[in-house]
Amino acid sequence: MALVHVPLWAVCMLRVALATVYFQEEFLDGEHWRNRWVQSTNDSQIGHFRLSSGKFYGHKEKDKGLQTTQNGRFYAISARFKPFSNKGKTLVIQYTVKHEQKMDCGGGYIKVFPADVDQKNLNGKSQYYIMFGPDICGFDIRKVHVILHFKNQYHSNKKSIRCKVDGFTHLYALILRPDLTYEVKIDGQSIESGGIEYDWNLTSLKKMEKTSAESKDWEQVEDGKSQDWEKHFLDASASKPSDWNSELDGDWQAPMIQKPPYQDGLKPEGIDKDIWLHQKMKNTNYLTEYDLSEFENIGAIGLELWQVRSGTIFDNFLITDDEEYAENFGKATWGETKTHTHTERERERERERERDRQREKQAPCREPDMGLHPGSPGLRPGLKVALNR
Ligand SMILES: *[C@@H]1O[C@H](CO)[C@@H](O)[C@H](O)[C@H]1NC(C)=O
Ligand SMILES: *[C@@H]1O[C@H](CO)[C@@H](O)[C@H](O)[C@H]1NC(C)=O
């Protein structure tokens, strides 16, 4: 075993030099997490978290995470880190979540906030950059949210991604890359990927901006202000003549042409306008492709959600710019302990069945289970809660 795992950590350590880790939280120092995480006091009814590895786990200490403790509550808690921008860099957001209580309705997602978020007052209206993770309510809502805040609006992922609904710990990772691609991984497996622009319906937003820029600013061109703009462009389609002699003729450069290629979605009518728009694309507040995945001042991570039945455990939070580091961190945390979890769960189920048998003996005329949650002996929600608490 050890021989297999040591290289993983070794690789992990090697990558530290290259990766930037903005935030990492494994809750390995007892109650000290309370110094790092701020519970919101926006409402006196906000539910409390405790540190717990739950009823079954792979490793009692390593699997400790933030667990929701009160039914039918809103939860709001967050932690800060040194603010950063993901401009030009990959952004990986990763964590583990376990719904050991048989989640019926509630959030299992995290939110990433701008640095100026008011932690003490964190609530459902607090503006966030990214919301990511599973949301379950009955049989209808079982999805992974990936909501991006952009241009003062929240944009949900169009492609629906199914989340895990069993009671085990699952590793969720979101990767946003500067080339405008993204990937969602669950338990280390790629579940969804593609282009941010298309999978968040940002294409229309982009076109909208282009159109308004075109119509609004065109008047400037009409009153003669376009004259100063560069009117020539390198002809990208030209190729070096075969008889070109670099020693005699110097370095070859593509010829300058007056009319730039048409930009998609734009229908310029004349050359001047065409050139002007081309300049406009380069110089002003057009949405550059890049903007779509850029967050200027990322500074906090938090849990802001509602749960009908509590018991969810959040752990192994990571924000980094390095996909490989995240992958290794996932293997070293979730990957290390998950294999032991299934046998532990079986033991816990057996203990529950034993408790049920004892109760049967004491109260043989108990109300029958209504059979709303078939197939889970020993873990029948309504009944268990009533008897255990
Ligand atoms: C909770 O937050 C809302 C919205 O920001 C605010 O209006 C309200 O005053 C806050 N409540 C408390 C008790 O701080
Ligand atoms: C996409 O965005 C446009 C403009 O913002 C909006 O009208 C349309 O309803 C959106 N489509 C979807 C599927 O969200």
Side-chain angles (χ1 to χ4, degrees), residues 153 155-156 158 200-206 208:
Q153 278 176 48
H155 302 274
S156 293
K158 280 193 296 183
W200 272 265
N201 192 25
L202 297 176
T203 313
S204 52
L205 193 68
K206 207 171 161 185
M208 224 165 62

Side-chain angles (χ1 to χ4, degrees), residues 94-96 132 164 169-175 183-192 323 326-335 338:
Q94 180 173 295
Y95 70 108
T96 58
F132 170 58
K164 301 282 181 185
T169 305
H170 293 289
L171 178 70
Y172 284 84
L174 170 67
I175 302 163
E183 196 167 343
V184 171
K185 290 181 175 180
I186 304 179
D187 298 345
Q189 304 290 310
S190 184
I191 299 295
E192 194 56 82
E323 294 183 43
E327 204 175 297
N328 286 318
F329 180 72
K331 284 176 188 163
T333 53
W334 171 83
K338 78 176 158 78

Side-chain angles (χ1 to χ4, degrees), residues 41-43 120-121 123 125-126:
T41 52
N42 184 263
D43 187 312
K120 277 265 170 221
N121 216 1
N123 62 73
K125 292 194 183 108
S126 303

Side-chain angles (χ1 to χ4, degrees), residues 222-233:
E222 302 281 71
D223 59 37
K225 286 192 185 129
S226 66
Q227 264 79 336
D228 299 332
W229 283 305
E230 189 190 340
K231 296 204 168 179
H232 294 88
F233 297 85

